[in-house]
Amino acid sequence: MIRQELLFHDGELRVYLQQRESKLFSEIESQDEKYVLSVDPQEFKKYLIEKYHLTAPTLKEDKIYVDKSEEEVDVSQDRIRDVFDRSRPFYIKGLKVSYYIPFDGSPELLKYQTSSFTYSPPRADVRGNEIIIEVIEFDHNTDSVKREFEQNFNEIKKWLSWVNQEITQFNTSLDGKIEQKIKTRKRNSSKIKN
């Protein structure tokens, strides 16, 4: 397998969501008194929900496509190969199979570790709204390539189910938290005005 980027590895999703919630609260607090007292709370809440709502990535499994190409692959660090000098590249020809998996939702959410996790997150590249899983096969064994792809793909789906749980909880909590924060802000602004 090609060494691709680790997904779900650049910090904790919990922390990212807390920071997003803090930005939301700061936006409410930063409004001037005149605006807070005159704005329709339901319209303001609707605007904030639309702005801070997150969409977890959803894979378009029926749109997956594959690209294959012959590649010269450096195997100098592959411990199962007999390579005399591992300090220099040692190339052999292999078949590179790239699986492109389109998805809807925020690519940024593929970065963060969820509260549920395993110690070996899946590897893939993310470009725009596509996840790319690359597999190298040296014996042109298509069953082996497919097996490796499916193993990584199933790991990605497992992690995305965890992302989806946390994002759903975050989105569900927005309505009540925003409403409470707007009420508190309005009440404080009324006191200042009086």
Side-chain angles (χ1 to χ4, degrees):
M1 174 138 176
I2 296 171
R3 292 306 274 179
Q4 293 186 276
E5 294 296 315
L6 279 171
L7 301 178
F8 312 108
H9 189 259
D10 293 346
E12 296 178 49
L13 182 58
R14 176 186 58 78
V15 172
Y16 171 77
L17 296 177
Q18 286 171 346
Q19 291 169 344
R20 192 167 179 87
E21 187 177 282
S22 292
K23 276 187 196 171
L24 160 63
F25 291 164
S26 292
E27 181 166 346
I28 295 169
E29 288 298 325
S30 69
Q31 303 300 323
D32 67 35
E33 270 72 25
K34 200 176 202 178
Y35 177 78
V36 170
L37 292 170
S38 65
V39 70
D40 176 349
Q42 293 306 311
E43 286 301 312
F44 190 29
K45 180 173 79 170
K46 183 181 172 190
Y47 156 77
L48 291 167
I49 287 173
E50 285 175 13
K51 182 173 179 180
Y52 289 94
H53 178 272
L54 290 165
T55 305
T58 306
L59 303 178
K60 298 179 180 181
E61 294 187 46
D62 59 330
K63 304 274 193 234
I64 295 173
Y65 61 99
V66 180
D67 183 42
K68 298 177 182 179
S69 60
E70 291 282 333
E71 297 275 324
E72 290 287 325
V73 181
D74 177 11
V75 294
S76 62
Q77 302 308 309
D78 188 344
R79 296 287 171 205
I80 63 168
R81 299 198 179 274
D82 292 328
V83 177
F84 179 69
D85 182 0
R86 295 194 184 277
S87 68
R88 297 194 328 216
F90 184 80
Y91 293 96
I92 62 173
K93 210 176 263 292
L95 175 68
K96 180 170 102 174
V97 183
S98 301
Y99 293 86
Y100 294 83
I101 309 155
F103 65 90
D104 289 324
S106 173
E108 187 172 18
L109 296 174
L110 294 164
K111 293 181 191 177
Y112 300 106
Q113 180 180 296
T114 53
S115 299
S116 299
F117 62 92
T118 63
Y119 286 103
S120 56
R123 289 183 177 272
D125 292 322
V126 179
R127 290 188 208 124
N129 275 67
E130 284 186 328
I131 297 171
I132 303 145
I133 298 174
E134 295 179 336
V135 181
I136 289 283
E137 182 52 53
F138 298 104
D139 304 323
H140 297 278
N141 180 341
T142 53
D143 288 341
S144 169
V145 168
K146 190 172 183 197
R147 225 178 2 264
E148 192 169 338
F149 161 72
E150 286 175 351
Q151 182 181 359
N152 207 15
F153 183 59
N154 288 332
E155 275 297 302
I156 290 170
K157 289 199 300 189
K158 179 169 57 176
W159 280 76
L160 282 176
S161 72
W162 294 331
V163 168
N164 192 45
Q165 287 173 3
E166 292 189 38
I167 297 306
T168 299
Q169 288 172 355
F170 174 79
N171 288 336
T172 303
S173 73
L174 283 177
D175 189 281
K177 287 179 177 179
I178 291 170
E179 190 164 317
Q180 186 58 46
K181 196 72 174 171
I182 290 172
K183 280 181 184 173
T184 303
R185 182 75 172 90
K186 267 187 171 299
R187 193 169 41 248
N188 292 342
S189 294
S190 295
K191 287 177 186 172
I192 291 170
K193 192 162 187 178
N194 293 333

